[in-house]
Amino acid sequence: ELKVEQNPLFLSMQEGKNYTIYCNYSTTSDRLYWYRQDPGKSLESLFVLLSNGAVKQEGRLMASLDTKARLSTLHITAAVHDLSATYFCAVSGGTSYGKLTFGQGTILTVHP
Amino acid sequence: DAGVIQSPRHEVTEMGQEVTLRCKPISGHNSLFWYRQTMMRGLELLIYFNNNVPIDDSGMPEDRFSAKMPNASFSTLKIQPSEPRDSAVYFCASSPKTGTFTGGGTGELFFGEGSRLTVL
């Protein structure tokens, strides 16, 4: 059974600081996804990582994938309040589209 | 371009009642997924369809749950009879590709706004 674990589960950051969210998964997969969810809202796709060594950046967020270590990271640079949300990583557990296993989510709060 | 549309957004019902949740995927998307989100269990895949055909329903909790996709633009998730433990947010998602990754594409899912179900 594929398991996906994120840490930390709760992250309280000051504006301007840097931090990293980690996502470990238990079986081989070349595809990893990061989503953002605001309270009471839908899941918004942030990044799709499709191969070992993939790195993608959007604004203050950068995601990377190491398939050998079964690890993805989401790095936050110079956090701002607007980044406050829950971040999920998800892994495709095989060859079929969309059959994603999600991590528990990391609740990020950025405060002044 | 319209995203995935779900209805109702909120539903409050009493135990034992039938609940039907509806989903319209993004036009042209071939795969549709139903996920459930709860505090205790997080996001769980319930069932998914490729080209309107159910492919994997192993995540459906029990026989009280059923899902249909009569055509490419509409799907329903039905709970009958409903129980308090069914209270959750139910998300529908669609993807532009079917089947396996060998056909190309990213496997990215596009989620609807969710249907929040409360069973009293």
Side-chain angles (χ1 to χ4, degrees):
Chain A
E1 179 190 350
L2 173 58
K3 293 187 178 179
V4 182
E5 293 189 350
Q6 291 180 231
N7 74 84
L9 299 184
F10 301 93
L11 180 54
S12 180
M13 296 178 64
Q14 273 193 312
E15 282 189 330
K17 298 292 187 182
N18 305 332
Y19 210 83
T20 300
I21 300 171
Y22 297 89
C23 175
N24 290 90
Y25 53 97
S26 61
T27 63
T28 302
S29 176
D30 289 336
R31 294 172 181 257
L32 189 135
Y33 308 82
W34 284 97
Y35 286 87
R36 168 180 171 147
Q37 185 179 36
D38 291 301
K41 301 293 186 181
S42 181
L43 283 87
E44 173 192 358
S45 179
L46 292 175
F47 299 108
V48 179
L49 303 170
L50 300 178
S51 61
N52 185 41
V55 177
K56 291 202 173 176
Q57 183 163 7
E58 180 73 34
R60 301 175 187 274
L61 300 178
M62 183 173 71
S64 65
L65 177 62
D66 181 344
T67 59
K68 294 179 182 176
R70 299 178 186 168
L71 171 69
S72 179
T73 60
L74 181 66
H75 187 73
I76 302 155
T77 302
V80 294
H81 179 71
D82 285 352
L83 290 179
S84 298
T86 300
Y87 293 85
F88 292 92
C89 64
V91 177
S92 175
T95 57
S96 297
Y97 280 114
K99 194 172 180 179
L100 302 184
T101 299
F102 283 80
Q104 313 95 309
T106 296
I107 300 175
L108 171 65
T109 304
V110 181
H111 51 88
Chain B
D1 186 22
V4 176
I5 300 172
Q6 292 186 244
S7 65
R9 294 292 312 279
H10 302 273
E11 175 94 5
V12 180
T13 190
E14 293 189 344
M15 183 173 63
Q17 297 298 304
E18 178 179 295
V19 174
T20 299
L21 308 178
R22 297 173 178 80
C23 175
K24 176 178 168 56
I26 293 172
S27 178
H29 282 195
N30 304 104
S31 295
L32 183 141
F33 306 82
W34 284 100
Y35 280 83
R36 177 172 70 174
Q37 185 177 36
T38 61
M39 288 293 293
M40 292 298 296
R41 301 177 66 89
L43 277 154
E44 304 172 281
L45 176 64
L46 300 178
I47 185 171
Y48 76 95
F49 298 82
N50 282 346
N51 292 322
N52 314 336
V53 176
I55 301 300
D56 185 345
D57 65 354
S58 59
M60 296 285 260
E62 48 198 274
D63 292 345
R64 298 184 297 107
F65 285 69
S66 63
K68 293 182 179 180
M69 191 166 186
N71 57 62
S73 58
F74 183 66
S75 177
T76 59
L77 179 67
K78 185 176 293 186
I79 309 171
Q80 166 64 16
S82 58
E83 296 182 4
R85 61 192 166 123
D86 302 331
S87 298
V89 180
Y90 291 81
F91 286 102
C92 177
S94 68
S95 176
K97 283 286 187 178
T98 62
T100 66
F101 290 121
T102 53
T106 67
E108 185 179 8
L109 297 187
F110 297 83
F111 283 81
E113 292 289 319
S115 294
R116 180 175 295 276
L117 173 65
T118 303
V119 184
L120 304 174

